[in-house]
Amino acid sequence: MPDRPAILTKRTLDKDLDKLTHVEDATKFVTRKLVAPGLGLIFLGLAMLFAGVYVFDRPSAVLVVAAAALAAYMALNIGANDVTNNVGAAVGARAMTMGQALVIAAIFEVLGATIAGGDVVKTISSSIVDTVQVPPATLSWIMMAALMAAALWINLATWLNAPVSTTHAIVGAVIGAGVGAVGPEPVNWRVMIEITSAWVTSPLLGGVIAAGLLFLVKTFIIYRDDKIAAARRWVPVLIGMMIGGFTSYMVVQLETANEFSSLTIFVLGLAAGCLGWFGGRVFVRRQAAGLENRNSSLRILFQIPLISSAALLSFAHGANDVSNAVGPLSAIVRNVGASPDAAGDNPPVWVLLIGALGISVGLLLFGPRLIRLVGDQITKLNPMRAYCVVLSTAFTVIVASSLGLPVSTTHIAVGAVFGVGFFREWYTRHSKRRIAYVRRKAESWAIDEPEDPNTHEVRRRYLVRRSHFMTIIAAWVITVPASAALAAMIYWVMFALFV
């Protein structure tokens, strides 16, 4: 009987080593998930240090530093939840990668917040609650409670994969904390009616503008026999509209002495739009060289305009939504006299920087998950539809921001998406141009019985997911009372502990 080879290894030891390997892999997996929260905590510490440099020798420096930490936390949550609306359409249309979207949005969010974010900050910091009727110490704690409540609510929504309105959250929180502190009298209900009406009308306006843009694209570009020639004619017009609108907005934001009349601002925007149209003609002509007469070629021509409009929307979002993070902080700084440049209505630059950088950091650390949700799950987007959504949202936010109204970018973007989707349904059923185009193409392809363009199957493909509509309405209804109630409770706890 041959001798068996000696077993030199111990199976028990091998099993133990395998267990250690699995533990190491699990540890790496867990720690990878902790990287983003750890970097977020580091940013909060840097924000406190940054604020401390400006206010360390001022009264109530500790209160201001704590408020800066809460504002930075709020900004992180805005970046994680709200900025997804700016680039989600472009990512969903595959016009840019996730990495490109994050970098572009982060840069233009900072620019928009620091250059044009002052007007809406003033609305949040001083117009919702009448600062004259509230004692200075009470006002500071109201704003602290509002910041914490809104940030916690948005953090919970982000964890649940629910894109909610950060504007609704902070406005509701300011009202709830104010009512919890001194009752309903100091709340400026007239301003609240204006803000609420903007919440209702802005999604409708975004949907109408987006539908109008898509009507232009479908009528004058897509359903034409020579698509490339039509695109060479009309895509530069869309580029000029984008540049002209953005220029007018910048003039409104940058002039400080009312030196320009409305007519002058319009003329400047029109001139910039004409220059953009001329440059767009050169660009589109070069891009269109050698392209086939197909819809896939149109996607190539719309790619750069879509990326540019997403950058514009990020700028507009930074200008409008930075107020959600630093509006209460600006009120605290001005209230306690903790900054030499906080005496006027304009917020200090360092306050805007905390909000701007916080939004960008939150987007980079926590944004990709909701970007995929917004870009892929509401409706199917291609570059043409996404361009209409993004440009419509940008124009609506720009108009609201120039009027000093803190509107919800989330609801405007979703309103634009639904506007595009519902218009596609109507256009599919009722457009004589589309029906004639489809039948003409079918005849040219020698199809004996072309499919009726109004069949149930064709209509079904163009439906927007109605379930998201109810989800958004529910989030809209719940966010304001939930953040208000949470802010009131937090104020009472803060008052009991610290006052």
Side-chain angles (χ1 to χ4, degrees):
M1 185 174 181
D3 296 334
R4 292 182 179 179
I7 299 177
L8 301 179
T9 60
K10 295 184 177 180
R11 295 180 180 178
T12 303
L13 179 60
D14 290 340
K15 291 180 180 180
D16 292 339
L17 290 175
D18 289 339
K19 291 178 182 179
L20 289 175
T21 303
H22 293 320
V23 170
E24 290 177 355
D25 293 338
T27 303
K28 291 179 181 179
F29 180 77
V30 172
T31 54
R32 190 182 302 120
K33 288 189 174 182
L34 296 177
V35 170
L39 292 175
L41 289 175
I42 292 174
F43 174 77
L44 296 185
L46 292 176
M48 296 173 66
L49 181 63
F50 186 57
V53 170
Y54 283 90
V55 302
F56 72 94
D57 59 344
R58 298 279 172 174
S60 303
V62 175
L63 179 65
V64 174
V65 170
L70 290 177
Y73 176 49
M74 177 69 174
L76 288 175
N77 283 288
I78 293 174
N81 192 289
D82 214 29
V83 184
T84 57
N85 304 290
N86 308 343
V87 294
V91 174
R94 294 173 175 81
M96 66 174 77
T97 65
M98 180 67 70
Q100 292 170 339
L102 292 174
V103 171
I104 290 174
I107 292 173
F108 281 89
E109 285 282 340
V110 172
L111 292 176
T114 53
I115 293 175
D119 284 344
V120 185
V121 171
K122 288 183 284 186
T123 301
I124 295 292
S125 63
S126 59
S127 297
I128 296 176
V129 174
D130 188 356
T131 56
V132 177
Q133 301 184 43
V134 180
T138 303
L139 179 64
S140 297
W141 290 108
I142 287 174
M143 294 301 175
M144 290 278 286
L147 274 175
M148 180 174 290
L152 289 173
W153 176 257
I154 299 167
N155 202 161
L156 175 63
T158 305
W159 182 67
L160 295 174
N161 278 345
V164 298
S165 170
T166 59
T167 306
H168 292 191
I170 191 63
V171 170
V174 171
I175 293 174
V179 172
V182 293
E185 290 79 13
V187 177
N188 194 333
W189 297 109
R190 182 183 64 80
V191 173
M192 273 306 304
I193 292 174
E194 293 177 357
I195 294 174
T196 304
S197 64
W199 288 350
V200 175
T201 58
S202 57
L204 297 177
L205 180 61
V208 169
I209 295 175
L213 290 171
L214 187 59
F215 173 78
L216 188 153
V217 171
K218 283 182 174 291
T219 302
F220 296 105
I221 301 177
I222 294 178
Y223 294 117
R224 292 283 177 172
D225 292 330
D226 192 344
K227 302 175 187 292
I228 302 302
R232 283 199 298 263
R233 184 181 304 114
W234 286 102
V235 172
V237 173
L238 295 173
I239 294 174
M241 290 172 56
M242 177 181 64
I243 295 177
F246 180 69
T247 301
S248 299
Y249 171 70
M250 288 299 298
V251 173
V252 170
Q253 294 297 322
L254 295 179
E255 68 92 7
T256 57
N258 295 322
E259 299 173 356
F260 302 120
S261 64
S262 300
L263 179 61
T264 303
I265 294 172
F266 173 78
V267 171
L268 290 173
L270 182 62
C274 291
L275 291 175
W277 168 78
F278 180 78
R281 288 189 63 188
V282 176
F283 167 77
V284 172
R285 189 180 299 114
R286 292 178 179 176
Q287 288 285 102
L291 293 179
E292 298 181 8
N293 188 34
R294 304 174 61 181
N295 284 345
S296 57
S297 299
L298 296 179
R299 296 175 183 178
I300 297 174
L301 296 179
F302 271 89
Q303 185 172 8
I304 298 301
L306 175 57
I307 294 173
S308 302
S309 60
L312 169 59
L313 179 57
S314 295
F315 185 98
H317 179 271
N320 191 281
D321 279 30
V322 69
S323 61
N324 300 339
V326 301
L329 174 60
S330 178
I332 294 171
V333 171
R334 184 175 59 250
N335 183 52
V336 301
S339 181
D341 55 347
D345 290 334
N346 293 323
V349 175
W350 65 268
V351 170
L352 288 175
L353 279 175
I354 288 178
L357 295 175
I359 290 174
S360 296
V361 172
L363 170 67
L364 294 172
L365 294 180
F366 307 106
R369 183 172 57 178
L370 284 183
I371 286 177
R372 296 187 185 96
L373 176 69
V374 172
D376 294 336
Q377 296 188 14
I378 293 180
T379 190
K380 184 178 181 181
L381 295 174
N382 60 24
M384 289 82 81
R385 299 170 202 151
Y387 182 82
C388 296
V389 169
V390 174
L391 187 58
S392 169
T393 306
F395 276 139
T396 307
V397 174
I398 281 172
V399 171
S401 186
S402 63
L403 296 176
L405 295 175
V407 295
S408 168
T409 310
T410 301
H411 290 110
I412 294 174
V414 173
V417 171
F418 277 103
V420 164
F422 291 137
F423 173 77
R424 290 170 62 207
E425 292 181 358
W426 177 89
Y427 195 86
T428 299
R429 298 173 185 175
H430 300 97
S431 173
K432 295 179 180 179
R433 175 181 296 277
R434 177 189 174 276
I435 294 172
Y437 176 87
V438 172
R439 287 174 175 165
R440 190 167 61 253
K441 286 295 183 182
E443 292 172 0
S444 67
W445 295 335
I447 299 177
D448 294 332
E449 296 182 359
E451 180 185 17
D452 185 355
N454 288 322
T455 60
H456 171 74
E457 183 63 24
V458 172
R459 293 198 304 269
R460 186 188 66 80
R461 286 204 309 266
Y462 287 90
L463 290 177
V464 180
R465 294 181 181 176
R466 263 64 169 180
S467 59
H468 286 284
F469 181 79
M470 297 308 300
T471 301
I472 292 162
I473 294 299
W476 193 347
V477 172
I478 292 172
T479 293
V480 173
S483 58
L486 183 59
M489 291 187 290
I490 291 176
Y491 173 81
W492 292 330
V493 172
M494 287 182 172
F495 185 84
L497 293 178
F498 303 112
V499 181

